[in-house]
Amino acid sequence: MCGIVAALAARNVQGILLEGLKRLEYRGYDSAGMAVMESGALMRQRAQGKVAALEEKLAERSLTGSIGIAHTRWATHGKPSEVNAHPHLAGDRVAIVHNGIIENFEPLKRELESDGVVFESETDTEVVAHLIDRAFATCHDLLAAVQSVLARIDGAYALAVMHVDAPREIVGARKGSPLVVGVGIDENFLASDTLALLQVTDRFVYLREGDVVRLSARHGIEVLTADGEPAARDVQVYEHGDSAASRGDYRHFMLKEIHEQPAVIAATLEGRLSGSHVLESSFGVGARALFERVKQVHIIACGTSYHAGMVARYWLEKLAGIPTTVEVASEYRYRDVVVPENTLFVTLSQSGETADTLAALRYATSRADDLTEQDGQGYLATLAICNVPGSSLTRESDLSLMTQAGPEIGVASTKAFTTQLVALMLLTLALRRSRGDEREAALVQALRGLPGVLDQALAMDGPIAALSEAFAEKHHALFLGRGTQYPIALEGALKLKEISYIHAEAYPAGELKHGPLALVDADMPVIAVAPNDELLEKLKSNLQEVRARGGELFVFADEGVALTAADSLRVLHVPAVDEFLAPIVYTLPLQLLSYHVAVLKGTDVDQPRNLAKSVTVE
Ligand code: F6R
């Protein structure tokens, strides 16, 4: 949801800011802009559309200066247009970039208008620019001016501000949206994520909720808490290198990330298995003792991560015998949740910054406090399964397990999802009471072999590319699965609609006859995920219901499933694997299918319309 980058250096920063924006484009791509201090004046370039449009403008009229801020936008207040693009200025004195939403911007705007301020844009951000302009006119200190304005605004923000009369300073702040400081040698940076700055440094300070930071030529980096107290924040070294920012030989990031799955799953397992069991210490200090007390699990997530949680419910109940609920964060956070004794609260998030998931965690924590006061009950502990080290979700949870997917750039989540599933299988085994039995040993062995099976699944790419032609002209598609494959069908449908804009729905196959069967005809391709499990025979009956209505069926099944291709039935063979790991393996062909359909349709695979990665607004 919008990307911010800022630089204060001794060299020209236009190239650094532009490269930072390209790396942040996954966060929003409605418009982009940059402001640089040029000989004591604020100079700005903005363009509607992607960063490439800004780059073209900069090629015509470049910006030259050693201090600047830049932004790529995912529109919330005001349509995508050049006039609404950041940076926003106030009186040519203040320039600001902002990610998030200022909830009380309307009364503040009215107040400013009645005082004679004329607004250029429809954004909430411009209000903050004018407030800072006024505050600076009184105190003549950019940090103090920003602090006084932050005290007046409600909502979520990460922001970076410059002022012509503080020409060697940038002030940043974060609350509810991420912001990191990149630490260089005699130069410092701010950005929405580390990836934007790996081009210039591998040393970062992860700001905490409410932190305000001043980068200045005189004082370097000063961090203050929300209360204005100086705060010591560690500098952490990013150790994963910078290769993730490039597509390599792949046509799209999404395809690269699909193909990375065997390697990142191996990385997610590394150091977390010992002999034939899972090391509980992978979840953090004290996890073992806590896990022994868990009687119930609540899983909270959004979108694709929610689908991973749905798979885990089947695993936790069947393999660990632990009652489990799964809920989307945006619903959970507004419910009066009843928390049974000894419940583990688990959040799943690739980014660790999703606004609803973070709010759900905070609600769970506060609810735990309320309940503890009332009757001694509340959540036993909070656990985050997350892909971004240092993210808000991991910092605010008692325990965490990092998926090792590496940066995911494609907006449609792929490798983050399958690594979440692996992490959830580790959790299931760690919570299993009957430790050390044959089932656990078999699953640990199957997990070790999983990267190899996924390599085989990726070899389906050619046949799937051929199959995708049957979808390119279609407007709708139906996905079916049963048991753990129902969430995989949901995920397959989400991927298809996200990147190819084909309307896709998923149903548990048994529900077909309760309504959706009415939709089935020759124009509605039906995709079924059919591993050789205990529900196979039931699924086969459901598929007959489709064929009997003239529906065109595409079945992903392993070779043990006796299904013979026929006119209206195409079968694609998926490598066989332990039935509990089948949801992970079956995900890959569905990802490849949506990818190839999108490529055929010519959509923007990595940056589908209207979407952005890391949804930091509610
Ligand atoms: C879909 C997708 C989204 C995210 C959702 C949650 O491909 O990527 O549905 O899964 O926005 O994001 P995280 O996992 O970062 O909390």
Side-chain angles (χ1 to χ4, degrees), residues 302-306 348-354 357 408 411-414 420 491 494-495 498 612-615:
C302 301
T304 288
S305 299
Y306 168 68
L348 308 175
S349 174
Q350 186 284 126
S351 60
E353 300 292 348
T354 300
T357 310
E408 193 180 60
V411 165
S413 188
T414 52
Q420 279 172 347
E491 177 57 12
L494 179 63
K495 287 289 94 86
E498 254 184 309
K613 212 164 180 77
S614 191
V615 185

Side-chain angles (χ1 to χ4, degrees), residues 389-437:
S391 60
S392 303
L393 209 61
T394 53
R395 278 204 314 271
E396 294 182 29
S397 299
D398 303 321
L399 301 172
S400 60
L401 185 71
M402 301 312 297
T403 49
Q404 298 293 340
E408 193 180 60
I409 310 291
V411 165
S413 188
T414 52
K415 60 177 181 168
F417 176 66
T418 47
T419 51
Q420 279 172 347
L421 287 175
V422 168
L424 286 162
M425 179 51 86
L426 296 178
L427 177 66
T428 304
L429 295 177
L431 288 174
R432 195 170 145 86
R433 301 280 173 254
S434 43
R435 311 302 309 272
D437 64 355

Side-chain angles (χ1 to χ4, degrees), residues 285-340:
V285 181
R288 184 180 193 141
L290 266 171
F291 284 179
E292 274 167 16
R293 295 169 57 201
V294 172
K295 289 196 184 146
Q296 172 112 12
V297 173
H298 284 176
I299 300 178
I300 306 299
C302 301
T304 288
S305 299
Y306 168 68
H307 296 155
M310 286 178 76
V311 175
R313 186 178 66 171
Y314 291 89
W315 289 342
L316 282 160
E317 296 197 331
K318 184 142 187 169
L319 287 167
I322 296 181
T324 301
T325 64
V326 189
E327 195 171 355
V328 288
S330 53
E331 287 300 314
Y332 170 89
R333 61 182 286 195
Y334 293 114
R335 231 162 33 80
D336 277 335
V337 182
V338 175
V339 184

